[in-house]
Amino acid sequence: MKTNEVRVGNLLQDMKSGTIVLVSEITENTIAVEVIDRSKYPLPIGWKCGEIKLTEEWLLRFGFEKAAGQYFQNFCVLQYFDSELRLTTHQDHCLSIQIKFVHQLQNLYFALTGEELTLNN
């Protein structure tokens, strides 16, 4: 994973254990993370950060509501077209962008709203 693909506040996971981590600092060559669930700290020897596949469970945790095969939240609708998750605003402006990972959705949401996409407990 390249440092220019993520930003502080993105969620990633340890590829070995699946533990969810939060990006806390980014330098030119390093991505520093914090373990969110302290009961899973420390990470196992040989841990490595990776993307979190965007699933329906993650969409629901971010507050999207499902109706008729689409996911709604505030200003946008997410729906699948030919196995590609596509975002459409309520003003019918369509972004033809494939969103595969949680951090991509977080970054797109922030770029469009200026606000962080937060998890529901």
Side-chain angles (χ1 to χ4, degrees), residues 2-67:
K2 298 176 185 173
T3 56
N4 67 349
E5 295 176 0
V6 296
R7 59 184 193 78
V8 171
N10 281 161
L11 297 172
L12 301 173
Q13 69 180 345
D14 167 37
M15 300 306 290
K16 197 169 190 176
S17 67
T19 300
I20 304 300
V21 296
L22 179 74
V23 175
S24 59
E25 182 180 350
I26 301 170
T27 65
E28 187 175 330
N29 300 313
T30 308
I31 300 171
V33 299
E34 297 176 10
V35 177
I36 295 172
D37 180 352
R38 298 308 285 174
S39 70
K40 307 231 176 180
Y41 182 82
L43 293 173
I45 294 173
W47 69 274
K48 181 180 177 185
C49 277
E51 297 99 344
I52 302 170
K53 185 167 176 59
L54 186 58
T55 62
E56 179 176 306
E57 177 186 351
W58 278 101
L59 290 171
L60 297 175
R61 287 179 70 186
F62 281 125
F64 284 83
E65 295 180 19
K66 184 177 180 180

Side-chain angles (χ1 to χ4, degrees), residues 69-85:
Q70 299 177 337
Y71 301 90
F72 298 87
Q73 193 210 54
N74 295 334
F75 71 97
C76 68
V77 178
L78 289 167
Q79 52 192 334
Y80 284 96
F81 291 101
D82 299 325
S83 74
E84 179 179 294
L85 190 58

